[in-house]
């Protein structure tokens, strides 16, 4: 790489090499890197969570870009935060797509950089009044859909996990919300702007019924998503808020100080894991 | 005469949205229908996912209800400028038209942005004397959306 980086910037590109036995190098060559396969970077646990979703040949169903008025790390924190989703997003709470009273947990990679959070429906949550009793905004009692076909989900992976959000450090997201599959790539555009590149996915062998189900459920995500539109603006709210308090700091140790995998999503373990990895890569 | 009816429909549609009479928006469609917001790139490649995808009037009503009751976003309004439709009538009695549009988004603090440009690719049918959209594909020229798209285009 040539040219000087701007002050305060860091070169964040990385390489995946090999395995050389499968992808042989050209002769002659001046440089032979050690194998650095993607599988090793992800680790077995996260790799298993990736393969759980990306298990058959894929079909791209659409691509969109969402320009967000905030630093890229604010978006990554949002995705890593396993706690806010069912409190902020009325669609998640009301229609019980993900709630903290349901089963599941958060997996954090040993170095903290990657994570996967999961929600598993529980029979005893179907009538849980915990959200309503506490007046949490995301459960709206009178709120009903005129056409509930949007919520017609099937357990296509056969494991009861109805939501899995997975990140790979620094800026890759793999999303399974019911049958709505997508990859989101975080692209920094300066200190206070970023782009989120959405790729909506299905499988090449999807039936027409499944294809239509995914198209309907895609209303949940993306720049106009019932859920994701809210994530599109909250980063900007925070960006504007912190601009007025550059030297101030506050710390919330929700769930302690560690970044280990947990059986609950009421924790910030995966957010802390991100910052541990970020500081290490930045040499701090 | 047909051009006049299509133009009137487009004008009424844009006014309903820009005047915040969103509850009337589903009435511009047949039931079932197809309303989809996509990009020129997806449209050209035949990729069928949309930013918004509704195939019943009920799904359109749900969009409006979500904006009114469920979703959190900054208050904003649109100003649609809708161009002249290029019309072709079909053998089955349906009317096809392609109409360019431009939408300015005005935020509560007064910020005005050119939010979207593109074309409506429409199929319309007469229902009891009223022309309605059986299909309205909103094909945006750009694939990029600033922050979020809440109000329909």
């Amino acid at each position: 790489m040539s040219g000087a980086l701007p002050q305060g910037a860091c070169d964040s590109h990385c390489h995946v090499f090999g395995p050389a036995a499968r992808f042989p190098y050209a002769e002659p060559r001046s440089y032979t890197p050690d194998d650095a396969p993607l599988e090793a970077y992800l680790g077995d646990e996260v790799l298993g969570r990736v393969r759980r979703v990306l298990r058959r040949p894929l079909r791209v169903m659409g691509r969109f870009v969402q320009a967000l008025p905030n630093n890229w790390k604010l978006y990554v924190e949002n995705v890593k935060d396993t706690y806010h989703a069912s409190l902020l997003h009325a669609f998640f709470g009301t229609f019980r797509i993900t709630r903290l009273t349901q089963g599941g947990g958060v997996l954090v990679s040993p170095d903290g950089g990657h994570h996967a959070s999961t929600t598993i429906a529980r029979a005893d949550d179907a009538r849980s009044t915990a959200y309503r009793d506490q007046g949490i905004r995301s459960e709206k009692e009178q709120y009903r859909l005129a056409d509930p076909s949007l919520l017609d989900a099937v357990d296509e992976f056969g494991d009861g996990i109805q939501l899995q959000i997975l990140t790979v450090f620094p800026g890759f997201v793999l999303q399974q919300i019911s049958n709505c599959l997508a990859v989101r790539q975080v692209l920094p555009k300066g200190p206070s702007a970023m782009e989120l590149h959405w790729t909506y996915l299905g499988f090449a062998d999807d039936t027409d019924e499944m294809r239509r189900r995914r198209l309907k459920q895609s209303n949940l995500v993306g720049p106009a998503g019932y859920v994701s539109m809210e994530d599109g603006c909250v980063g900007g709210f925070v960006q504007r808020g912190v601009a007025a308090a550059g030297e101030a700091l506050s710390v919330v140790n929700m769930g302690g100080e560690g970044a280990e995998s947990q059986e609950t999503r009421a924790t910030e373990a995966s957010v802390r894991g991100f910052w541990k990895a970020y500081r290490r890569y930045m040499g701090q | 005469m047909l051009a006049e009816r299509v133009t009137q429909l487009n004008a009424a549609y844009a006014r309903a949205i820009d005047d915040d009479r969103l509850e009337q928006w589903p009435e511009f469609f047949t039931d079932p229908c197809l309303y989809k917001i996509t990009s020129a790139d997806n449209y050209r490649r035949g990729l069928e996912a949309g930013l918004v995808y509704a195939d019943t009037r009920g799904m359109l009503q749900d969009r409006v209800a979500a904006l009114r009751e469920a979703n959190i976003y900054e208050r904003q309004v649109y100003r649609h400028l809708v161009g002249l439709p290029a019309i072709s009538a079909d053998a089955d009695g349906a009317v096809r038209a392609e109409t360019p549009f431009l939408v300015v988004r005005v935020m509560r603090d007064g910020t005005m942005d050119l939010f979207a440009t593109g074309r409506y690719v429409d199929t319309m049918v007469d229902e009891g004397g009223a022309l309605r959209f059986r299909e309205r594909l909103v094909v945006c020229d750009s694939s990029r959306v600033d922050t979020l798209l809440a109000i329909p285009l």
Side-chain angles (χ1 to χ4, degrees), chain A residues 67 146-147 211 216 219 226, chain B residues 48 53 55-56 62 70-71 147:
Chain A
D147 182 346
R211 192 175 52 79
K216 283 173 180 266
N219 282 293
Y226 287 132
Chain B
E48 39 180 1
Y53 184 97
D55 61 6
T56 63
D62 290 335
N71 281 129
T147 311

Side-chain angles (χ1 to χ4, degrees), chain A residues 48 56 64 72 77 159 183 187 243-244 252 254 268:
Chain A
R56 302 201 301 280
F64 297 100
W72 67 277
E77 274 201 318
D159 56 9
V183 160
L187 197 65
V252 179
M254 192 165 72
E268 292 186 324

Side-chain angles (χ1 to χ4, degrees), chain A residues 267-283:
Chain A
T267 174
E268 292 186 324
S270 41
V271 177
R272 283 190 290 274
F274 169 75
W275 286 109
K276 288 176 194 295
Y278 178 80
R279 289 172 64 93
R280 196 180 59 254
Y281 282 113
M282 295 294 285

Side-chain angles (χ1 to χ4, degrees), chain A residues 19-70:
Chain A
R22 195 172 151 209
F23 303 105
Y25 293 104
E27 300 285 356
R29 61 179 178 272
S30 59
Y31 171 58
T32 305
D34 292 334
D35 275 355
L38 181 63
E39 289 80 355
Y41 181 65
L42 296 176
D44 286 343
E45 285 188 308
V46 172
L47 184 62
R49 291 283 162 193
V50 172
R51 287 186 169 150
R52 174 186 164 268
V53 178
L54 306 181
R55 53 172 58 191
R56 302 201 301 280
L58 296 164
R59 195 166 57 92
V60 172
M61 299 182 77
R63 295 188 188 89
F64 297 100
V65 176
Q66 187 174 11
L68 302 183
N70 53 262

Side-chain angles (χ1 to χ4, degrees), chain A residues 120-171:
Chain A
I120 301 174
R122 276 179 16 179
D124 62 352
D125 180 65
R127 286 183 303 281
S128 162
T129 58
Y131 276 51
R132 194 178 316 156
D133 294 346
Q134 297 186 39
I136 293 173
R137 76 159 291 275
S138 69
E139 177 170 330
K140 296 186 173 295
E141 204 176 344
Q142 301 303 319
Y143 189 53
R144 294 287 178 273
L145 292 180
D147 182 346
S149 62
L150 176 70
L151 303 169
D152 167 37
V154 293
D155 181 13
E156 65 177 307
F157 304 119
D159 56 9
I161 295 177
Q162 56 194 28
L163 181 144
Q164 176 181 289
I165 300 292
L166 181 150
T167 61
V168 175
F169 189 90

Side-chain angles (χ1 to χ4, degrees), chain B residues 33-78:
Chain B
C33 58
L34 179 63
Y35 174 79
K36 182 164 80 171
I37 302 178
T38 188
S39 69
D41 190 52
N42 286 321
Y43 185 69
R44 187 171 49 246
R45 292 169 191 267
L47 303 180
E48 39 180 1
L51 291 171
V52 175
Y53 184 97
D55 61 6
T56 63
R57 206 185 267 178
M59 287 187 81
L60 298 172
Q61 290 162 352
D62 290 335
R63 268 281 156 190
V64 177
L67 294 179
R68 298 290 196 221
E69 297 173 42
N71 281 129
I72 293 175
Y73 58 100
E74 292 172 285
R75 198 185 303 166
Q76 53 190 267
V77 295
Y78 289 165

Side-chain angles (χ1 to χ4, degrees), chain A residues 22 35 38 65 77 94 109 112 125 165 174 189 201 207 220 229 231 249 266:
Chain A
R22 195 172 151 209
D35 275 355
L38 181 63
V65 176
E77 274 201 318
T94 302
S109 65
D125 180 65
I165 300 292
L174 173 64
K189 289 291 201 177
L201 298 171
T207 61
L220 293 170
M229 80 162 79
D231 293 324
L249 69 95

